[in-house]
Amino acid sequence: SMTAGALGALVAPAFAHTDLNPGMKMMPVDTRNVRGGWELPARNYVQVKDVKIGQGLPKTIASTTAKTPEAFLEQISYYATLPGLDCVDIRPDYLPVMSGKAFADLMQEGYKRAGHLGVEVSLRDKLEGGGRQYSDAEADKFWTDYLTNGGQADFCDFEMFRDIKSIRKLVGIAHERGMKVMLSDHEFGWTPSEDDMLRRLLFLEKEGSDILKMAVWANNMEDCLRLMSVTWKYHNYYGTHPLCTMAMGPIGCLSRVTGQFTGNDLT
């Protein structure tokens, strides 16, 4: 009895104050509780046409994979008819090689056909799951030509871990044109540690991303759950930006359909 009392005296002061009823065991207080003065920060959302990414249920997005300009426009028209689809991810890397200006001209019609859908444009390198290989210099030239020649988009997706000077320049141009930016990090073959994934999300936020995207490869259920845990922790403790996170591969499918519970905003 005396030993237990002595230990209790040592342990109790380590916990924050909480109100207890007689007979209850001492428990640490939840620092994100609703006691007087504690308020959760307001969450940001991104307005894309009539869609608010980061508010309400997770929004849905589908990518184009057409190999010709004609099929590309037809695919966008088809997507615009699908109930429940909110955005379309435009992928020039699957099309025949064309300059950023030529693609901007093609997108004059493509943007019209998207109708109510929010339009994202992304250029994926083959190592990032894209249609073909791009050097940093080639990607920079394509994006610069696209954005400065009337290329249309509601938000642009730039791969974060390329030439940082180029990425910062492109983020600035897109924002100047009134477009939102989604910086992305793709990791094929593996899932980083939880701490590293949180660090990466905060880095994307620091570099001016309006929507944070992270895609990792789940080799097992633990990988998938780790990505989902990071999503929940960022959403509840670390930041206020909308998230687009996913564990790729068959095992990772669970992460794509649980956003309502983990805090993922776009799938």
Side-chain angles (χ1 to χ4, degrees), residues 1-209:
S1 174
M2 289 178 63
T3 303
L7 288 174
L10 290 172
V11 173
F15 294 133
H17 170 74
T18 186
D19 294 326
L20 295 172
N21 294 322
M24 288 182 64
K25 292 182 178 180
M26 188 65 176
M27 295 292 288
V29 69
D30 180 359
T31 56
R32 295 300 292 272
N33 65 8
V34 291
R35 293 172 67 90
W38 288 90
E39 293 182 5
L40 295 176
R43 296 204 59 78
N44 297 330
Y45 66 85
V46 169
Q47 182 85 41
V48 176
K49 293 180 179 171
D50 292 331
V51 176
K52 293 182 178 180
I53 302 172
Q55 192 173 97
L57 294 174
K59 305 306 184 287
T60 56
I61 184 167
S63 298
T64 62
T65 54
K67 305 296 192 296
T68 67
E70 296 77 18
F72 168 76
L73 293 175
E74 289 175 6
Q75 190 171 29
I76 296 174
S77 297
Y78 168 67
Y79 280 160
T81 69
L82 294 182
L85 189 62
D86 299 299
C87 301
V88 57
D89 172 27
I90 301 296
R91 297 288 295 276
D93 46 281
Y94 282 103
L95 292 170
V97 177
M98 62 178 71
S99 68
K101 183 181 184 308
F103 188 65
D105 293 340
L106 178 63
M107 274 300 292
Q108 295 295 323
E109 177 63 20
Y111 191 87
K112 290 178 185 176
R113 294 198 183 200
H116 68 284
L117 298 177
V119 173
E120 173 202 18
V121 177
S122 59
L123 183 70
R124 289 271 175 266
D125 183 89
K126 197 158 190 175
L127 295 176
E128 302 152 2
R132 60 176 172 273
Q133 199 79 25
Y134 284 95
S135 67
D136 285 359
E138 290 169 335
D140 179 86
K141 180 169 176 50
F142 177 90
W143 275 117
T144 303
D145 288 348
Y146 183 77
L147 293 171
T148 57
N149 284 283
Q152 292 187 294
D154 297 305
F155 58 111
C156 300
D157 182 337
F158 305 131
E159 189 70 25
M160 182 72 253
F161 294 107
R162 280 188 171 269
D163 180 357
I164 190 61
K165 291 182 179 178
S166 169
I167 296 303
R168 287 171 176 163
K169 179 190 78 172
L170 296 174
V171 169
I173 295 174
H175 280 159
E176 286 172 6
R177 290 206 53 208
M179 300 174 182
K180 300 297 184 180
V181 169
M182 182 162 74
L183 295 178
S184 357
D185 175 21
H186 287 78
E187 295 298 339
F188 283 84
W190 70 300
T191 297
S193 70
E194 206 168 286
D195 286 348
D196 193 20
M197 285 191 281
L198 282 169
R199 178 191 66 83
R200 293 175 188 224
L201 288 174
L202 293 172
F203 182 69
L204 300 179
E205 182 181 306
K206 174 180 174 292
E207 291 297 332
S209 185

Side-chain angles (χ1 to χ4, degrees), residues 221-242:
M221 185 53 69
E222 181 183 357
D223 287 344
C224 181
L225 293 174
R226 189 157 71 251
L227 181 279
M228 293 166 64
S229 173
V230 166
T231 302
W232 190 91
K233 288 178 178 177
Y234 174 89
H235 178 89
N236 286 280
Y237 294 113
Y238 288 91
T240 60
H241 285 44

